[in-house]
Each structure stands twice: as structure tokens, then as C-alpha cells.
Amino acid sequence: MLQNLTGMVTDAQLFYGGLITAGGAALLAVLYFLISQIRGLHLKTQLDEEYGKEPPKRKKGRRKL
């Protein structure tokens, strides 16, 4: 129950409700990050199978003449 006898929400209820909400948001953010990393690896593997490995990246800097 979020209300006391006067119908108001107490400071403690707001504080702990905020902590629970922030914790839930952090947990969902970690879960989203892990799922996106797993899907990215799966996509990279699938693209490597279809189109071959990605060529090595060129080094940045000045070209020697």
C-alpha cells in the first residue's frame, strides 16, 4: 500500500520506490546490452558466412611516397 492514513505518500515510500525503480532500470539496461552483444555476434557470424571475412583495416597516418 503506497498511502498512509491521510492519503499522502510518505518520504520513505518515495525514496525506496525510487531505489527500486532505478535498480529495475539498471537491470534492464544490462539485460539490453547483453542481448544486443549476443545478437551482434550472431549477425557478424552470419555475414562472415555469406560474404566472407572482413578485410583488415588500413592504418591511419601519412602515406610514404
Side-chain angles (χ1 to χ4, degrees), residues 46-61:
Q46 185 178 358
L47 291 173
D48 284 346
E49 288 175 4
E50 287 186 28
Y51 299 107
K53 296 271 185 203
E54 184 177 357
K57 302 228 188 262
R58 291 176 42 171
K59 293 183 180 180
K60 291 184 179 179

Side-chain angles (χ1 to χ4, degrees), residues 18-58:
L19 282 180
I20 291 170
T21 302
L27 182 65
L28 288 174
V30 168
L31 186 63
Y32 170 77
F33 177 75
L34 291 175
I35 289 172
S36 67
Q37 292 296 310
I38 291 169
R39 289 182 58 137
L41 286 174
H42 176 72
L43 178 62
K44 183 171 177 10
T45 303
Q46 185 178 358
L47 291 173
D48 284 346
E49 288 175 4
E50 287 186 28
Y51 299 107
K53 296 271 185 203
E54 184 177 357
K57 302 228 188 262
R58 291 176 42 171

Side-chain angles (χ1 to χ4, degrees), residues 1-4 8-19:
M1 213 187 244
L2 289 179
Q3 297 178 348
N4 60 12
M8 302 290 287
V9 178
T10 65
D11 291 339
Q13 289 171 333
L14 283 173
F15 177 73
Y16 290 117
L19 282 180

